[in-house]
Amino acid sequence: MSKHQQVLLGIGGGIAAYKTPDLVRRLIEQDCEVISVLTNAGSKFVTSHTLAAVSGNRVRDNLWDEEAEQAMGHIELARWADLLLIAPATADLMAKMAQGKASDLLTTLHLACQSPVMVAPAMNQAMWHHPATQRNLTQLREDGVHVVGPEYGSQACGDIGPGRMSEPADIANAVANVLAVTNRLSGVNVLITAGPTREAIDPVRYISNSSSGRQGFALARAARDAGASVTLVSGPVGLETPTGVDRIDVVSSAQMKNAVMSHVSDCDIFFSVAAVSDYRPTVARSTKIKRQTENPEGRFHLELEETDDILKTVASLDRKPFVVGFAAETNNVLEYGREKRKSKGIDAIVINDVSDASIGFDSEENAVTIVHASGEQTLPKQNKLEIARQILSSVASLRNTNTEETAEAD
Ligand code: CTP
C-alpha cells in the first residue's frame, strides 16, 4: 500500500467500540492517517479523548459543530477519505446505511463519500440472524460495501454465535487489501463478456445454459471500483448494470463475437466470463416448428454447427490484450482447466467446479483457482463480488509483471 492513505473511521454504539483505539493504532501501523467519527451511541463506549490521543487527530462527533465544520466541512471530510471504515457497524447503522439515511454526521458522510466503504458488523447473534439485518447486509453488499466479519464466538450478552467484531489486526489488513486495489486499474480499459448466449432454433425456442451472469457483472463492478473504464458485453440476464459501466446487450454467440471484436482494439484486459454456446442450429427456422408435421415417428433431429470460439479468436490477435478465460468444469476440474489455458493460448484462466450447486452457475457464491504461466492461486468460497475483487488484484499484478517483462525484452 502506498504511504499515508487516509481512513475515516466511523464508530457505532456497540460494546466492540472499546477495541477501536487499538484499531486506530493498527491502521497507523499500516501507514494510514485516521480521523475518527463518533456517533452519539459510540461515545457511550469509547471517549473522544482516547481516540484523539491515539490518532493524533481531532475527533468529529457532530454535524452541527460550527468550529469543526469551519476547519473541515463534512463534505470535505468525506472527500478527504481514501476509505470510510465503520467499526463497529451496529444493526441500526447498517439499516440506516442500507436505506441511504443522512440523519447524523456519520450517515451523512457515508452518503457523501465516493471512496470505498467497509463495515465491520458487531451485534448480538439473534440480531445478526434477523431477516431485516440480513436484508440490509445484502443491500450493502449490492451497493459495493466491503464487509469484514463478524466472527463467531461468545458475546458480551452471554450468547454464543456470529456477531463479534473482527479483531483490529484483521480489519486493518482488510483495509490494506482494499486500498491496495483502489485506482490500481485507473486508465485501463477492461472488456468483459458475461451471461449465457441463446442460439435460435426457431422464433420461440433456443439453445442456452443456466449462467446467471453474476460473476461477470461482479467483475465489471470490481474493475470499475479499481478505476478501470469497463465495457460489458452481456447475454440475456436479469441483472442491473453497475453504474458507470458501458453495457452492450447481445443474444447469440455471433452477436457477442461482433461486439467483442469491435471493442477489443481499445482494450487492455479481456475477461471472457460468458458461458458461450459451443454449438448452434445449422439453420434457425423463421417460423415455429410444428410437432405433428415434423415429427411423425416421435423423433426430431436438430443439426448443430460449432460457434466461433471468441476467447481463442482474441488470444490469437497480433495486438492482443491481457487475456483471461473462465472454465466451468464438472469433473477433472483443475486438469481440464489447465489444459484449456494452454490450448486457447491465454494468459490466465479462472477455473470453477460447477458440479457443486453452491458455487455453480446460478449461485451467489463462488470458489475458484486462477492458473497462469507462473503458478496457481486458490480463492476459497465467498460471494462473487469478493471473488471478483481478488481475481482483479491477481490479474493486475500478473499484467504488470508481463508488461515489465515485455519492456525488458524490447
Ligand atoms: N468461450 C468463448 N467462445 C466460445 C466458447 C467458449 O469465448 N464459443 C470462452 C468462455 O467465455 C470461457 C472459455 O472459453 O472463457 C471456456 O469456456 P468453456 O465452455 O469452459 O470451454 P470450451 O472451450 O467450450 O470447452 P468445453 O465446453 O469442451 O469444456
Side-chain angles (χ1 to χ4, degrees):
M1 184 168 62
S2 62
K3 290 265 164 193
H4 304 309
Q5 300 262 26
Q6 297 168 338
V7 175
L8 206 49
L9 170 62
I11 300 168
I15 181 69
Y18 83 89
K19 295 181 181 175
T20 51
D22 186 28
L23 176 57
V24 172
R25 288 187 46 239
R26 304 286 179 159
L27 290 167
I28 291 171
E29 277 166 19
Q30 305 261 20
D31 289 315
C32 295
E33 183 181 351
V34 181
I35 294 183
S36 309
V37 179
L38 258 181
T39 59
N40 199 18
S43 67
K44 312 282 183 220
F45 295 93
V46 60
T47 73
S48 57
H49 300 291
T50 316
L51 292 163
V54 287
S55 68
N57 275 323
R58 178 184 182 153
V59 174
R60 300 289 296 261
D61 55 8
N62 190 345
L63 191 54
W64 309 106
D65 180 341
E66 272 181 36
E67 199 196 316
E69 281 287 314
Q70 265 168 17
M72 197 196 286
H74 59 276
I75 298 295
E76 223 180 313
L77 190 57
R79 286 198 196 115
W80 173 89
D82 293 312
L83 182 138
L84 169 63
L85 168 64
I86 299 183
T90 58
D92 181 58
L93 262 175
M94 287 174 61
K96 284 178 176 153
M97 290 170 73
Q99 285 180 33
K101 291 214 162 176
S103 45
D104 61 6
L105 178 59
L106 182 55
T107 48
T108 304
L109 287 168
H110 164 239
L111 283 195
C113 182
Q114 291 182 300
S115 298
V117 177
M118 180 183 287
V119 291
M123 67 197 72
N124 165 268
Q125 56 82 25
M127 293 170 77
W128 174 253
H129 283 306
H130 196 284
T133 304
Q134 291 303 309
R135 243 187 347 260
N136 293 330
L137 178 70
T138 305
Q139 182 61 57
L140 291 178
R141 284 211 163 107
E142 200 49 32
D143 294 345
V145 172
H146 300 258
V147 181
V148 51
E151 306 302 325
Y152 185 96
S154 59
Q155 304 198 296
C157 51
D159 280 2
I160 295 178
R164 287 170 60 91
M165 189 175 83
S166 294
E167 289 305 319
D170 295 333
I171 300 175
N173 280 339
V175 166
N177 287 340
V178 170
L179 288 173
V181 245
T182 309
N183 295 329
R184 187 113 179 248
L185 294 178
S186 70
V188 173
N189 291 331
V190 171
L191 180 62
I192 301 172
T193 63
T197 59
R198 285 182 187 169
E199 311 302 328
I201 297 171
D202 70 12
V204 292
R205 302 181 178 99
Y206 52 79
I207 295 175
S208 191
N209 58 67
S210 51
S211 166
S212 66
R214 283 199 195 101
Q215 188 61 75
F217 274 61
L219 207 55
R221 171 180 291 191
R224 174 209 64 191
D225 289 346
S229 297
V230 184
T231 304
L232 176 62
V233 179
S234 176
V237 295
L239 298 174
E240 276 187 37
T241 316
T243 320
V245 166
D246 282 336
R247 171 167 169 180
I248 302 167
D249 283 317
V250 295
V251 177
S252 67
S253 61
Q255 289 171 354
M256 186 171 273
K257 184 183 175 202
N258 284 344
V260 166
M261 296 322 283
S262 59
H263 287 83
V264 76
S265 60
D266 299 332
C267 136
D268 302 299
I269 306 177
F270 175 56
F271 288 101
S272 184
V273 196
V276 186
S277 184
D278 289 333
Y279 289 90
R280 69 174 155 236
T282 323
V283 179
R285 307 280 190 95
S286 56
T287 51
K288 190 180 166 206
I289 298 167
K290 301 304 288 175
R291 184 192 341 200
Q292 297 304 332
T293 47
E294 301 220 13
N295 187 20
E297 289 157 19
R299 282 170 191 242
F300 181 79
H301 295 279
L302 188 61
E303 194 184 37
L304 303 178
E305 64 185 11
E306 240 181 304
T307 58
D308 292 338
D309 189 324
I310 306 170
L311 178 60
K312 215 169 173 175
T313 311
V314 171
S316 57
L317 292 173
D318 283 341
R319 236 196 105 261
K320 61 177 174 179
F322 189 90
V323 181
V324 185
F326 279 65
E329 306 290 348
T330 56
N331 54 320
N332 298 335
V333 176
L334 283 179
E335 203 181 307
Y336 282 153
R338 289 177 190 130
E339 191 43 47
K340 219 168 252 184
R341 188 186 80 79
K342 286 191 189 141
S343 66
K344 299 207 184 212
I346 57 180
D347 297 291
I349 194 153
V350 180
I351 307 170
N352 75 326
D353 180 352
V354 286
S355 69
D356 177 349
S358 71
I359 54 170
F361 261 0
D362 199 16
S363 60
E364 298 284 348
E365 296 192 306
N366 208 351
V368 302
T369 301
I370 307 172
V371 176
H372 47 90
S374 44
E376 298 188 2
Q377 184 190 359
T378 297
L379 306 179
K381 185 167 157 181
Q382 53 208 304
N383 79 72
K384 285 182 171 172
L385 184 56
E386 204 43 55
I387 288 278
R389 286 174 176 143
Q390 295 180 28
I391 292 172
L392 272 182
S393 172
S394 302
V395 167
S397 307
L398 288 170
R399 180 173 167 266
N400 283 349
T401 319
N402 256 25
T403 316
E404 279 161 22
E405 278 168 7
T406 315
E408 270 169 32
D410 289 346

